[in-house]
Amino acid sequence: PRKKEEQHLSDDTRQLIKERKQVKRKEPTSGNRAEYSKINKLVKKSCKNDDNSWASRIASDLENAAKLGQQREVWQKISTLSNKPKKKSTAVRDKAGKLIPDPTSQRKRWGEHFKELF
């Protein structure tokens, strides 16, 4: 089963986001624009604080895991902090050695490859 992604926004921030949404739905007047701008600044500031507290919480967990010698957990925490997506290999070649760009034909080629193995 897939791990549930941790939500690191606080309830206050979620409430501010809801308020901002409601203000944005109103008709655009100078008062609404000023109110939206004010709430938007608060949302950005609150999100930044939540992100920083989340990162420091992950960093402290990482330090504890390192002290206990749990290398797998250390590397998992590092990967969540670095936020680098895993690269997908898309280089599939046909029998002649030409690259296959289309995903459906790539799947067909993989099927051919495994049929040849068995």
Side-chain angles (χ1 to χ4, degrees):
R2 208 171 213 202
K3 266 189 176 179
K4 190 174 183 181
E5 199 168 306
E6 181 183 341
Q7 296 291 326
H8 61 274
L9 293 180
S10 66
D11 293 334
D12 296 334
T13 304
R14 287 193 185 98
Q15 186 61 35
L16 281 172
I17 290 171
K18 285 179 185 175
E19 288 177 27
R20 181 179 66 177
K21 229 181 240 186
Q22 290 172 353
V23 170
K24 190 168 185 167
R25 287 183 184 151
K26 294 179 183 175
E27 286 197 30
T29 62
S30 61
N32 287 348
R33 286 186 187 147
E35 186 181 358
Y36 179 81
S37 177
K38 180 182 163 188
I39 293 175
N40 194 37
K41 285 180 185 178
L42 291 173
V43 167
K44 287 181 180 181
K45 192 174 190 179
S46 183
C47 283
K48 190 172 186 175
N49 289 338
D50 290 344
D51 285 345
N52 288 339
S53 65
W54 173 78
S56 64
R57 207 170 46 242
I58 294 290
S60 66
D61 290 348
L62 191 146
E63 289 174 357
N64 291 338
K67 285 178 187 174
L68 297 174
Q70 298 170 337
Q71 288 301 311
R72 175 180 232 153
E73 191 173 336
V74 168
W75 289 109
Q76 286 174 345
K77 300 287 182 188
I78 288 172
S79 68
T80 58
L81 283 175
S82 65
N83 201 19
K84 291 182 182 177
K86 294 181 180 176
K87 295 179 183 177
K88 293 181 180 178
S89 176
T90 57
V92 178
R93 297 180 185 270
D94 61 6
K95 290 183 181 180
K98 295 181 181 177
L99 284 175
I100 303 172
D102 184 35
T104 55
S105 54
Q106 284 179 353
R107 277 189 237 114
K108 287 180 185 175
R109 176 63 185 122
W110 277 115
E112 291 172 11
H113 171 74
F114 286 114
K115 282 181 184 175
E116 290 173 5
L117 290 177
F118 296 114

